[in-house]
Amino acid sequence: AQTVTQSQPEMSVQEAETVTLSCTYDTSESDYYLFWYKQPPSRQMILVIRQEAYKQQNATENRFSVNFQKAAKSFSLKISDSQLGDAAMYFCAYRFQGANAGGTSYGKLTFGQGTILTVHP
Amino acid sequence: GAGVSQTPSNKVTEKGKYVELRCDPISGHTALYWYRQSLGQGPEFLIYFQGTGAADDSGLPNDRFFAVRPEGSVSTLKIQRTERGDSAVYLCASSLLWLAGGPYNEQFFGPGTRLTVL
């Protein structure tokens, strides 16, 4: 079974500074996606960034970038120029990208425990 | 609406009662997922539907939990004989295609239903 671990229950950063959130995962599969989701107090889960396992290049979305180390099974999120609106719970998630014998895709996400990010003005 | 909607937003019930939680996915999305999020934890997978059928219900904790999607759009999660341990936020997500890879499998989440069992 796949597992996702976030070892930082809480992190804080000053506005305009950079912060890195850590995530490790365990899987025996080679074809998968990794995600970072943001969940503000409204509970709405918002996709921040995704990484396909077969791609060596790290994904980037504006101020958000990842450091994907496939061999080490590590997937960290870097937030640059932090803004007050970045404050939220952040979840790392894994999804197997293959298909079962019936040809259907395993769509379920496996989430880590989350990291609460506080941004100080 | 444009996004996934869930009703009710909050539900308070007494131990032993029956509850139904509703999810309206994004129009045209064939895949629908239910997750449960306990306080301070990450969401945990419960069940997912491809069209009308449950393709994977391995996350349902016991036979008190059941979900349906009779017409391939709206889904209802049903919990019988509720227990205090069922208290959590129940999240629903939908995606456009369950078979293709890439962005077509991106899951869009609703705001969740907070269930409190007294």
Side-chain angles (χ1 to χ4, degrees):
Chain A
Q2 296 79 23
T3 59
V4 178
T5 302
Q6 294 177 250
S7 59
Q8 304 158 316
E10 298 182 27
M11 291 286 284
S12 64
V13 63
Q14 291 293 131
E15 197 175 5
E17 297 295 310
T18 296
V19 64
T20 298
L21 307 184
S22 300
C23 173
T24 58
Y25 61 95
D26 188 27
T27 183
S28 58
E29 305 293 344
S30 59
D31 189 11
Y32 53 88
Y33 278 80
L34 296 165
F35 306 85
W36 279 97
Y37 282 89
K38 171 185 177 181
Q39 187 178 42
S42 67
R43 301 197 305 247
Q44 188 82 48
M45 197 74 77
I46 302 164
L47 178 64
V48 174
I49 198 166
R50 79 165 65 82
Q51 174 78 44
E52 294 94 326
Y54 67 88
K55 289 187 177 180
Q56 292 186 339
Q57 185 174 7
N58 289 323
T60 299
E61 288 287 343
N62 300 313
R63 298 183 296 107
F64 299 88
S65 62
V66 299
N67 183 4
F68 174 47
Q69 301 290 328
K70 191 171 183 179
K73 294 180 181 173
S74 169
F75 182 62
S76 61
L77 174 69
K78 185 171 81 172
I79 306 174
S80 304
D81 185 26
S82 297
Q83 300 176 0
L84 295 177
D86 294 334
M89 177 80 97
Y90 284 80
F91 291 99
C92 179
Y94 164 101
R95 189 185 79 213
F96 174 53
Q97 194 49 33
N100 61 16
T104 58
S105 173
Y106 292 103
K108 66 183 180 184
L109 291 165
T110 300
F111 288 88
Q113 306 92 319
T115 297
I116 299 172
L117 178 65
T118 302
V119 182
H120 299 288
Chain B
V4 178
S5 62
Q6 292 187 245
T7 54
S9 177
N10 291 282
K11 175 72 176 177
V12 180
T13 191
E14 293 180 345
K15 180 176 179 293
K17 299 290 188 181
Y18 168 84
V19 296
E20 290 189 351
L21 312 179
R22 176 187 169 107
C23 172
D24 283 82
I26 294 172
S27 178
H29 280 195
T30 59
L32 185 145
Y33 310 80
W34 284 99
Y35 296 86
R36 179 168 72 173
Q37 185 176 19
S38 300
L39 187 63
Q41 301 295 315
E44 294 180 313
F45 170 78
L46 295 176
I47 185 170
Y48 102 92
F49 290 89
Q50 297 163 357
T52 60
D56 183 355
D57 63 358
S58 62
L60 294 178
N62 51 60
D63 61 5
R64 295 187 298 105
F65 289 75
F66 189 71
V68 296
R69 195 184 184 200
E71 298 179 355
S73 57
V74 171
S75 177
T76 304
L77 179 66
K78 307 180 180 191
I79 310 174
Q80 299 177 325
R81 304 183 305 279
T82 52
E83 300 177 355
R84 293 193 179 88
D86 298 335
S87 296
V89 172
Y90 290 80
L91 296 169
C92 175
S94 69
S95 67
L96 183 60
L97 290 171
W98 50 265
L99 192 56
Y104 300 110
N105 258 343
E106 179 176 339
Q107 293 181 30
F108 294 85
F109 283 81
T113 294
R114 181 180 298 281
L115 174 67
T116 303
V117 182
L118 301 177

Tab-separated table of all heavy atoms in Angstrom, chain A residues 95-118:
chain	number	residue	atom	x	y	z
A	95	ARG	N	-1.134	9.619	-6.336
A	95	ARG	CA	-2.141	8.872	-7.085
A	95	ARG	C	-1.465	7.939	-8.069
A	95	ARG	O	-0.639	8.365	-8.877
A	95	ARG	CB	-3.076	9.821	-7.842
A	95	ARG	CG	-4.279	9.114	-8.473
A	95	ARG	CD	-5.103	10.063	-9.320
A	95	ARG	NE	-4.475	10.269	-10.619
A	95	ARG	CZ	-4.533	11.422	-11.293
A	95	ARG	NH1	-5.168	12.454	-10.796
A	95	ARG	NH2	-3.946	11.529	-12.470
A	96	PHE	N	-1.789	6.671	-8.003
A	96	PHE	CA	-1.303	5.695	-8.961
A	96	PHE	C	-1.914	6.006	-10.317
A	96	PHE	O	-3.104	6.309	-10.414
A	96	PHE	CB	-1.685	4.289	-8.492
A	96	PHE	CG	-1.365	3.187	-9.465
A	96	PHE	CD1	-0.087	3.042	-9.983
A	96	PHE	CD2	-2.338	2.265	-9.826
A	96	PHE	CE1	0.213	2.017	-10.866
A	96	PHE	CE2	-2.044	1.229	-10.706
A	96	PHE	CZ	-0.773	1.109	-11.227
A	97	GLN	N	-1.094	5.944	-11.348
A	97	GLN	CA	-1.567	6.347	-12.657
A	97	GLN	C	-1.835	5.176	-13.589
A	97	GLN	O	-2.203	5.337	-14.739
A	97	GLN	CB	-0.553	7.302	-13.317
A	97	GLN	CG	-1.067	8.043	-14.522
A	97	GLN	CD	-2.406	8.698	-14.287
A	97	GLN	OE1	-2.694	9.136	-13.189
A	97	GLN	NE2	-3.248	8.770	-15.298
A	98	GLY	N	-1.656	3.964	-13.097
A	98	GLY	CA	-1.867	2.815	-13.947
A	98	GLY	C	-3.324	2.398	-13.994
A	98	GLY	O	-4.213	3.107	-13.559
A	99	ALA	N	-3.551	1.178	-14.484
A	99	ALA	CA	-4.902	0.649	-14.596
A	99	ALA	C	-4.916	-0.779	-14.079
A	99	ALA	O	-3.905	-1.468	-14.105
A	99	ALA	CB	-5.380	0.697	-16.050
A	100	ASN	N	-6.087	-1.183	-13.594
A	100	ASN	CA	-6.199	-2.559	-13.125
A	100	ASN	C	-6.499	-3.475	-14.310
A	100	ASN	O	-6.520	-3.054	-15.460
A	100	ASN	CB	-7.255	-2.657	-12.025
A	100	ASN	CG	-8.632	-2.240	-12.520
A	100	ASN	OD1	-8.869	-2.165	-13.730
A	100	ASN	ND2	-9.532	-1.976	-11.603
A	101	ALA	N	-6.714	-4.745	-14.024
A	101	ALA	CA	-6.909	-5.710	-15.092
A	101	ALA	C	-8.131	-5.386	-15.938
A	101	ALA	O	-8.197	-5.729	-17.114
A	101	ALA	CB	-7.040	-7.115	-14.493
A	102	GLY	N	-9.077	-4.701	-15.334
A	102	GLY	CA	-10.281	-4.342	-16.072
A	102	GLY	C	-10.098	-3.103	-16.937
A	102	GLY	O	-11.010	-2.704	-17.654
A	103	GLY	N	-8.924	-2.498	-16.867
A	103	GLY	CA	-8.658	-1.336	-17.700
A	103	GLY	C	-9.084	-0.032	-17.077
A	103	GLY	O	-8.965	1.020	-17.688
A	104	THR	N	-9.560	-0.082	-15.851
A	104	THR	CA	-9.976	1.162	-15.203
A	104	THR	C	-8.821	1.732	-14.393
A	104	THR	O	-7.984	0.991	-13.890
A	104	THR	CB	-11.181	0.932	-14.278
A	104	THR	OG1	-10.833	-0.046	-13.297
A	104	THR	CG2	-12.370	0.449	-15.061
A	105	SER	N	-8.827	3.024	-14.284
A	105	SER	CA	-7.735	3.703	-13.603
A	105	SER	C	-7.974	3.766	-12.110
A	105	SER	O	-9.087	3.937	-11.657
A	105	SER	CB	-7.601	5.115	-14.164
A	105	SER	OG	-6.660	5.860	-13.419
A	106	TYR	N	-6.925	3.583	-11.372
A	106	TYR	CA	-7.030	3.805	-9.943
A	106	TYR	C	-6.992	5.302	-9.707
A	106	TYR	O	-5.960	5.906	-9.810
A	106	TYR	CB	-5.854	3.147	-9.224
A	106	TYR	CG	-5.862	1.644	-9.272
A	106	TYR	CD1	-5.028	0.960	-10.116
A	106	TYR	CD2	-6.727	0.929	-8.466
A	106	TYR	CE1	-5.038	-0.426	-10.151
A	106	TYR	CE2	-6.741	-0.448	-8.483
A	106	TYR	CZ	-5.898	-1.126	-9.334
A	106	TYR	OH	-5.911	-2.476	-9.365
A	107	GLY	N	-8.118	5.890	-9.378
A	107	GLY	CA	-8.159	7.338	-9.282
A	107	GLY	C	-7.958	7.901	-7.897
A	107	GLY	O	-7.790	9.091	-7.739
A	108	LYS	N	-7.960	7.043	-6.879
A	108	LYS	CA	-8.002	7.581	-5.531
A	108	LYS	C	-6.683	8.229	-5.147
A	108	LYS	O	-5.606	7.820	-5.550
A	108	LYS	CB	-8.348	6.477	-4.534
A	108	LYS	CG	-7.299	5.400	-4.392
A	108	LYS	CD	-7.788	4.334	-3.435
A	108	LYS	CE	-6.753	3.232	-3.259
A	108	LYS	NZ	-7.257	2.140	-2.405
A	109	LEU	N	-6.815	9.277	-4.352
A	109	LEU	CA	-5.675	9.996	-3.824
A	109	LEU	C	-5.358	9.480	-2.417
A	109	LEU	O	-6.262	9.215	-1.621
A	109	LEU	CB	-5.989	11.490	-3.747
A	109	LEU	CG	-6.134	12.219	-5.084
A	109	LEU	CD1	-6.804	13.571	-4.891
A	109	LEU	CD2	-4.782	12.393	-5.743
A	110	THR	N	-4.068	9.371	-2.132
A	110	THR	CA	-3.602	9.072	-0.783
A	110	THR	C	-2.913	10.324	-0.259
A	110	THR	O	-1.951	10.805	-0.877
A	110	THR	CB	-2.625	7.886	-0.780
A	110	THR	OG1	-3.290	6.731	-1.302
A	110	THR	CG2	-2.148	7.594	0.646
A	111	PHE	N	-3.401	10.847	0.860
A	111	PHE	CA	-2.920	12.121	1.395
A	111	PHE	C	-1.985	11.919	2.582
A	111	PHE	O	-2.091	10.936	3.323
A	111	PHE	CB	-4.103	12.972	1.885
A	111	PHE	CG	-4.951	13.542	0.788
A	111	PHE	CD1	-6.011	12.819	0.268
A	111	PHE	CD2	-4.712	14.812	0.286
A	111	PHE	CE1	-6.808	13.346	-0.748
A	111	PHE	CE2	-5.504	15.355	-0.709
A	111	PHE	CZ	-6.552	14.614	-1.230
A	112	GLY	N	-1.102	12.892	2.775
A	112	GLY	CA	-0.326	12.971	4.003
A	112	GLY	C	-1.157	13.616	5.107
A	112	GLY	O	-2.333	13.933	4.925
A	113	GLN	N	-0.517	13.808	6.265
A	113	GLN	CA	-1.237	14.301	7.434
A	113	GLN	C	-1.442	15.809	7.404
A	113	GLN	O	-2.215	16.360	8.190
A	113	GLN	CB	-0.481	13.929	8.717
A	113	GLN	CG	-0.183	12.443	8.838
A	113	GLN	CD	1.183	12.080	8.260
A	113	GLN	OE1	1.589	12.587	7.214
A	113	GLN	NE2	1.879	11.207	8.953
A	114	GLY	N	-0.718	16.494	6.545
A	114	GLY	CA	-0.873	17.936	6.402
A	114	GLY	C	0.154	18.736	7.182
A	114	GLY	O	0.694	18.287	8.205
A	115	THR	N	0.413	19.938	6.687
A	115	THR	CA	1.277	20.916	7.350
A	115	THR	C	0.544	22.240	7.393
A	115	THR	O	0.086	22.732	6.349
A	115	THR	CB	2.603	21.109	6.586
A	115	THR	OG1	3.337	19.894	6.560
A	115	THR	CG2	3.441	22.213	7.237
A	116	ILE	N	0.398	22.788	8.593
A	116	ILE	CA	-0.245	24.093	8.733
A	116	ILE	C	0.806	25.173	8.482
A	116	ILE	O	1.827	25.223	9.164
A	116	ILE	CB	-0.838	24.279	10.138
A	116	ILE	CG1	-1.905	23.223	10.401
A	116	ILE	CG2	-1.435	25.673	10.281
A	116	ILE	CD1	-2.402	23.214	11.837
A	117	LEU	N	0.564	26.012	7.496
A	117	LEU	CA	1.484	27.100	7.179
A	117	LEU	C	0.905	28.422	7.679
A	117	LEU	O	-0.219	28.791	7.329
A	117	LEU	CB	1.731	27.189	5.677
A	117	LEU	CG	2.646	28.336	5.242
A	117	LEU	CD1	4.059	28.133	5.796
A	117	LEU	CD2	2.673	28.475	3.731
A	118	THR	N	1.696	29.094	8.498
A	118	THR	CA	1.345	30.434	8.990
A	118	THR	C	2.258	31.437	8.307
A	118	THR	O	3.471	31.227	8.227
A	118	THR	CB	1.523	30.519	10.515
A	118	THR	OG1	0.710	29.512	11.126
A	118	THR	CG2	1.126	31.889	11.033
